[in-house]
Amino acid sequence: SVLPYSNISKLNLEWNLIGAEGAKALASALPASQLTTLNLIVNRIGDEGAKALEEAKLKLPASAYTFIHKYNKFTKQSN
């Protein structure tokens, strides 16, 4: 993954339909990245992808990360 080796702080993946597998790949790169904002509006990440992202988010400082996730078909909304 390139993400941990870049200086990218904001990543807009809106309408890319990355699915749960894409969300899990992003989640694995988050703790080592410089991201502060990740926009995943309309990506069909579902519950499995949301869970992976939320678990990765817990490893980051509380104020360091904004996860924008509207319209992704969760059964339970993540924050």
Side-chain angles (χ1 to χ4, degrees):
S1 173
V2 173
L3 199 53
Y5 304 104
S6 74
N7 291 324
I8 296 171
S9 63
K10 295 181 182 181
L11 184 59
N12 182 354
L13 294 175
E14 187 172 341
W15 282 94
N16 277 280
L17 305 176
I18 64 169
E21 292 304 312
K24 288 190 281 184
L26 279 170
S28 69
L30 279 180
S33 77
Q34 301 295 315
L35 280 183
T36 57
T37 303
L38 177 59
N39 180 347
L40 292 175
I41 292 174
V42 189
N43 271 283
R44 296 185 182 168
I45 63 174
D47 291 337
E48 192 176 336
K51 181 180 178 186
L53 288 163
E54 285 299 319
E55 288 173 358
K57 183 179 173 182
L58 292 174
K59 298 175 185 174
L60 303 172
S63 62
Y65 182 69
T66 301
F67 173 32
I68 304 168
H69 55 76
K70 297 176 186 173
Y71 313 112
N72 273 295
K73 298 187 178 189
F74 307 129
T75 56
K76 193 173 186 181
Q77 187 90 11
S78 299
N79 291 326

